[in-house]
Amino acid sequence: MNKKIMLLLPLLVAILSRAQVTNDNNPAPSTSTSKDGQNKFAIFGNAEMTLVANKDNVQFGDVNFKPIFLWKMSDQLFVEAEAEFETGEGSVDIGLEYANMCYIVNKYLTLHAGRFLPKFGAYRGRFGEGFINRLATDPVGFGDGGIGAMNEVGVGAQGGFGLGDSKINYDLYFSNGPILLTDPENAGQFEYEGYVGNNKGKAVGGRVGLLPLTNSSLELGYSFQHKSKTGDPGTPYENTGLTMQAIDLNYFGHLTALQSDVRLIGEWKYQKVDTATYYDTNGVPYTFDNSPSAYYVAATVRPSHVHNIFVHNLELAARYSQFKTPAGAPWGGGNEDQFAISLDYWLRWNSLVKLTYQTEKGEPNTFFGQVVFGF
Amino acid sequence: MKKYIVISSFILAVSLGSITLISSCKVSQKVENKTGIQLWGENCGRCHNAPGPGEFSAANWEIIGRHMRVRTNITETEEKKIIEYLKSTAN
């Protein structure tokens, strides 16, 4: 009981902070719903389809439909949710991408609860989105099977504020966090996206972003996450801890000589897992240094300021990524290197066709054609 | 129990300290004078092509503004100025 009271202290802080920015000149807004008595509701989202072609295979597939539901119930209350209909595994798979309830405490602080997009790094939940990612694929280590969660379930605090010519933004959250897998094939890997936790341990994580330039063209971010108990209760793995860190960069600017907008983005992330003894399929014990890492760098050029409409709608993108997996792990033991280049054509501000060519160590060179329509 | 007291006290101290610090922070005059259209160009384009005012209705822009604030942590001032600009010439 006392523990619960202690954990409620941050809520007290939120209430105090709300009181702090409320005075006679800035009265607390009404807690009633919108003035016209109606919730403000809208649906947006996107649909995608990908063609995959290489020497072994040619197929249309990976059709996704992702409606996003948004409700602004009042100036303080906001809900965002995304459903996901996917066919990538050969059948229709329906999922809940996120359902996040937000409470705007004041201009510096928003509290949220639910299933939310990860605040660890900047690719997942942001640069990896269909019409934001200029390439048809994810960098190695940043898609399925990579480091970190695609979603988190928990609570968090976030916000942004100006400081001189700069801006700072922050995210801090508590979530169910990663669950350690110990079966022979996946020993040392994690189930990152549990709808429920496997023990009393919770992950704490966050990200701090700094935009040092007056025009907000550069953002640098540092993220962390830690969970001290990732294994199932009552097993030798219960107290196996995990720490992750990430650094990200995003630059957006104009290249006058090419009459183009340019974008440079990149991220590095690293995971360190406490030493544990696992058992192979024959019951033989072994251990390994479980510290995978991944990074990518990408650049895009779009001649946005050229008057010719066809040229204006083109965008060129290139990306290199690497995923280092631990030697000695049943699922690791090497570097995955990937290079991808893409020529895109924009049909609308959030709808495009991507023609991506990708080379990856140990995989056949592959062409991807992807259509993404935002709505 | 001791662990939770330490963690909660730390969060409490950091939060109160941060709120006090942030509340006393000022943006520069240059930043304060930025217009909605300027902030729209600078912030929206950082991740995606910036949609023009005619893409959505005034009612929708208000919802989208809030969505972007919680997704990307733009400041309250930026949200307000950008949405005022987009609503002023929206469909």
Side-chain angles (χ1 to χ4, degrees), chain A residues 155 186 204 219 260 284:
Chain A
V155 298
N186 299 299
V204 56
E219 180 171 7
S260 300
V284 177

Side-chain angles (χ1 to χ4, degrees), chain A residues 108 161-164, chain B residues 20-27:
Chain A
Y108 309 116
F161 56 92
L163 191 64
Chain B
T20 307
L21 181 69
I22 292 167
S23 301
S24 63
C25 291
K26 294 265 183 201
V27 296

Side-chain angles (χ1 to χ4, degrees), chain A residues 236-370:
Chain A
Y237 306 103
E238 182 174 0
N239 294 321
T240 304
L242 163 73
T243 301
M244 301 192 296
Q245 297 184 78
I247 297 169
D248 61 83
L249 175 149
N250 172 28
Y251 174 77
F252 173 69
H254 177 63
L255 207 58
T256 308
L258 294 176
Q259 299 180 62
S260 300
D261 290 329
V262 294
R263 184 185 310 278
L264 298 171
I265 54 174
E267 184 173 330
W268 169 84
K269 54 185 176 180
Y270 170 78
Q271 173 177 293
K272 176 67 182 167
V273 185
D274 289 348
T275 303
T277 301
Y278 304 100
Y279 296 88
D280 67 15
T281 48
N282 298 317
V284 177
Y286 67 99
T287 188
F288 60 93
D289 179 19
N290 194 355
S291 39
S293 64
Y295 75 88
Y296 80 91
V297 287
T300 70
V301 181
R302 182 178 177 189
S304 308
H305 304 273
V306 171
H307 291 300
N308 182 294
I309 291 175
F310 179 78
V311 176
H312 167 97
N313 287 332
L314 290 171
E315 184 157 14
L316 187 64
R319 182 187 68 209
Y320 177 77
S321 58
Q322 188 180 80
F323 185 22
K324 288 184 181 176
T325 52
W331 41 273
N335 293 350
E336 291 178 35
D337 295 275
Q338 183 199 81
F339 178 73
I341 189 163
S342 193
L343 181 64
D344 304 341
Y345 188 80
W346 288 94
L347 305 165
R348 196 166 169 261
W349 72 273
N350 59 355
S351 302
L352 75 162
V353 178
K354 306 175 193 174
L355 305 174
T356 302
Y357 185 75
Q358 180 173 291
T359 63
E360 188 174 332
K361 190 178 172 185
E363 300 286 337
N365 296 343
T366 303
F367 168 79
F368 298 87
Q370 188 178 63

Side-chain angles (χ1 to χ4, degrees), chain A residues 210-225:
Chain A
L210 170 67
L211 293 88
L213 306 180
T214 313
N215 63 4
S216 301
S217 58
L218 175 66
E219 180 171 7
L220 304 165
Y222 169 74
S223 308
F224 73 95
Q225 187 181 105

